[in-house]
PDB file of all heavy atoms in Angstrom:
ATOM      1  N   SER A  57       0.679 -20.199  -2.276  1.00 89.00           N
ATOM      2  CA  SER A  57      -0.684 -20.427  -1.795  1.00 89.00           C
ATOM      3  C   SER A  57      -0.911 -19.709  -0.453  1.00 89.00           C
ATOM      4  O   SER A  57      -1.967 -19.137  -0.225  1.00 89.00           O
ATOM      5  CB  SER A  57      -0.953 -21.920  -1.631  1.00 89.00           C
ATOM      6  OG  SER A  57      -2.200 -22.137  -1.056  1.00 89.00           O
ATOM      7  N   ARG A  58       0.055 -19.724   0.419  1.00 90.00           N
ATOM      8  CA  ARG A  58      -0.050 -19.019   1.703  1.00 90.00           C
ATOM      9  C   ARG A  58      -0.185 -17.508   1.489  1.00 90.00           C
ATOM     10  O   ARG A  58      -1.005 -16.861   2.153  1.00 90.00           O
ATOM     11  CB  ARG A  58       1.221 -19.326   2.524  1.00 90.00           C
ATOM     12  CG  ARG A  58       0.950 -19.641   3.957  1.00 90.00           C
ATOM     13  CD  ARG A  58       2.184 -19.967   4.783  1.00 90.00           C
ATOM     14  NE  ARG A  58       3.457 -20.032   4.088  1.00 90.00           N
ATOM     15  CZ  ARG A  58       4.062 -21.173   3.727  1.00 90.00           C
ATOM     16  NH1 ARG A  58       3.498 -22.338   3.967  1.00 90.00           N
ATOM     17  NH2 ARG A  58       5.219 -21.140   3.133  1.00 90.00           N
ATOM     18  N   GLU A  59       0.572 -16.958   0.555  1.00 90.00           N
ATOM     19  CA  GLU A  59       0.466 -15.537   0.266  1.00 90.00           C
ATOM     20  C   GLU A  59      -0.863 -15.180  -0.333  1.00 90.00           C
ATOM     21  O   GLU A  59      -1.471 -14.154   0.007  1.00 90.00           O
ATOM     22  CB  GLU A  59       1.624 -15.113  -0.673  1.00 90.00           C
ATOM     23  CG  GLU A  59       1.573 -13.691  -1.054  1.00 90.00           C
ATOM     24  CD  GLU A  59       1.789 -12.726   0.119  1.00 90.00           C
ATOM     25  OE1 GLU A  59       2.371 -13.123   1.145  1.00 90.00           O
ATOM     26  OE2 GLU A  59       1.324 -11.575  -0.005  1.00 90.00           O
ATOM     27  N   ILE A  60      -1.370 -16.039  -1.245  1.00 92.00           N
ATOM     28  CA  ILE A  60      -2.676 -15.774  -1.842  1.00 92.00           C
ATOM     29  C   ILE A  60      -3.756 -15.867  -0.779  1.00 92.00           C
ATOM     30  O   ILE A  60      -4.670 -15.068  -0.761  1.00 92.00           O
ATOM     31  CB  ILE A  60      -2.938 -16.734  -3.000  1.00 92.00           C
ATOM     32  CG1 ILE A  60      -2.003 -16.428  -4.153  1.00 92.00           C
ATOM     33  CG2 ILE A  60      -4.372 -16.683  -3.476  1.00 92.00           C
ATOM     34  CD1 ILE A  60      -2.045 -17.433  -5.286  1.00 92.00           C
ATOM     35  N   ARG A  61      -3.656 -16.815   0.129  1.00 95.00           N
ATOM     36  CA  ARG A  61      -4.633 -16.953   1.210  1.00 95.00           C
ATOM     37  C   ARG A  61      -4.606 -15.717   2.103  1.00 95.00           C
ATOM     38  O   ARG A  61      -5.642 -15.210   2.529  1.00 95.00           O
ATOM     39  CB  ARG A  61      -4.338 -18.198   2.030  1.00 95.00           C
ATOM     40  CG  ARG A  61      -5.428 -18.521   3.039  1.00 95.00           C
ATOM     41  CD  ARG A  61      -5.170 -19.817   3.788  1.00 95.00           C
ATOM     42  NE  ARG A  61      -4.962 -20.946   2.913  1.00 95.00           N
ATOM     43  CZ  ARG A  61      -3.843 -21.672   2.849  1.00 95.00           C
ATOM     44  NH1 ARG A  61      -2.843 -21.412   3.665  1.00 95.00           N
ATOM     45  NH2 ARG A  61      -3.737 -22.680   2.028  1.00 95.00           N
ATOM     46  N   ARG A  62      -3.430 -15.198   2.367  1.00 95.00           N
ATOM     47  CA  ARG A  62      -3.293 -13.989   3.214  1.00 95.00           C
ATOM     48  C   ARG A  62      -3.930 -12.791   2.501  1.00 95.00           C
ATOM     49  O   ARG A  62      -4.668 -12.022   3.138  1.00 95.00           O
ATOM     50  CB  ARG A  62      -1.812 -13.716   3.467  1.00 95.00           C
ATOM     51  CG  ARG A  62      -1.563 -12.599   4.449  1.00 95.00           C
ATOM     52  CD  ARG A  62      -0.066 -12.353   4.635  1.00 95.00           C
ATOM     53  NE  ARG A  62       0.541 -11.792   3.438  1.00 95.00           N
ATOM     54  CZ  ARG A  62       0.529 -10.531   3.100  1.00 95.00           C
ATOM     55  NH1 ARG A  62      -0.078  -9.661   3.851  1.00 95.00           N
ATOM     56  NH2 ARG A  62       1.101 -10.098   2.000  1.00 95.00           N
ATOM     57  N   GLN A  63      -3.689 -12.644   1.214  1.00 94.00           N
ATOM     58  CA  GLN A  63      -4.264 -11.522   0.491  1.00 94.00           C
ATOM     59  C   GLN A  63      -5.774 -11.660   0.337  1.00 94.00           C
ATOM     60  O   GLN A  63      -6.520 -10.671   0.384  1.00 94.00           O
ATOM     61  CB  GLN A  63      -3.582 -11.368  -0.871  1.00 94.00           C
ATOM     62  CG  GLN A  63      -2.177 -10.904  -0.751  1.00 94.00           C
ATOM     63  CD  GLN A  63      -1.527 -10.708  -2.110  1.00 94.00           C
ATOM     64  OE1 GLN A  63      -2.195 -10.605  -3.127  1.00 94.00           O
ATOM     65  NE2 GLN A  63      -0.189 -10.625  -2.096  1.00 94.00           N
ATOM     66  N   ALA A  64      -6.279 -12.882   0.165  1.00 96.00           N
ATOM     67  CA  ALA A  64      -7.703 -13.122   0.051  1.00 96.00           C
ATOM     68  C   ALA A  64      -8.403 -12.802   1.395  1.00 96.00           C
ATOM     69  O   ALA A  64      -9.484 -12.211   1.422  1.00 96.00           O
ATOM     70  CB  ALA A  64      -7.995 -14.553  -0.359  1.00 96.00           C
ATOM     71  N   ALA A  65      -7.760 -13.167   2.516  1.00 96.00           N
ATOM     72  CA  ALA A  65      -8.324 -12.832   3.809  1.00 96.00           C
ATOM     73  C   ALA A  65      -8.369 -11.332   4.026  1.00 96.00           C
ATOM     74  O   ALA A  65      -9.319 -10.778   4.577  1.00 96.00           O
ATOM     75  CB  ALA A  65      -7.496 -13.496   4.934  1.00 96.00           C
ATOM     76  N   MET A  66      -7.319 -10.636   3.560  1.00 96.00           N
ATOM     77  CA  MET A  66      -7.300  -9.170   3.680  1.00 96.00           C
ATOM     78  C   MET A  66      -8.461  -8.548   2.910  1.00 96.00           C
ATOM     79  O   MET A  66      -9.101  -7.613   3.365  1.00 96.00           O
ATOM     80  CB  MET A  66      -5.953  -8.622   3.175  1.00 96.00           C
ATOM     81  CG  MET A  66      -5.797  -7.178   3.380  1.00 96.00           C
ATOM     82  SD  MET A  66      -5.790  -6.807   5.126  1.00 96.00           S
ATOM     83  CE  MET A  66      -6.098  -5.087   5.111  1.00 96.00           C
ATOM     84  N   ALA A  67      -8.720  -9.081   1.723  1.00 95.00           N
ATOM     85  CA  ALA A  67      -9.864  -8.563   0.932  1.00 95.00           C
ATOM     86  C   ALA A  67     -11.170  -8.844   1.637  1.00 95.00           C
ATOM     87  O   ALA A  67     -12.082  -8.003   1.622  1.00 95.00           O
ATOM     88  CB  ALA A  67      -9.846  -9.184  -0.456  1.00 95.00           C
ATOM     89  N   GLY A  68     -11.273  -9.975   2.298  1.00 94.00           N
ATOM     90  CA  GLY A  68     -12.477 -10.301   3.062  1.00 94.00           C
ATOM     91  C   GLY A  68     -12.665  -9.350   4.224  1.00 94.00           C
ATOM     92  O   GLY A  68     -13.785  -8.880   4.522  1.00 94.00           O
TER      93      GLY A  68
END
Side-chain angles (χ1 to χ4, degrees):
S57 176
R58 225 179 356 259
E59 178 64 24
I60 292 173
R61 189 177 305 120
R62 187 183 68 82
Q63 290 183 16
M66 185 65 197

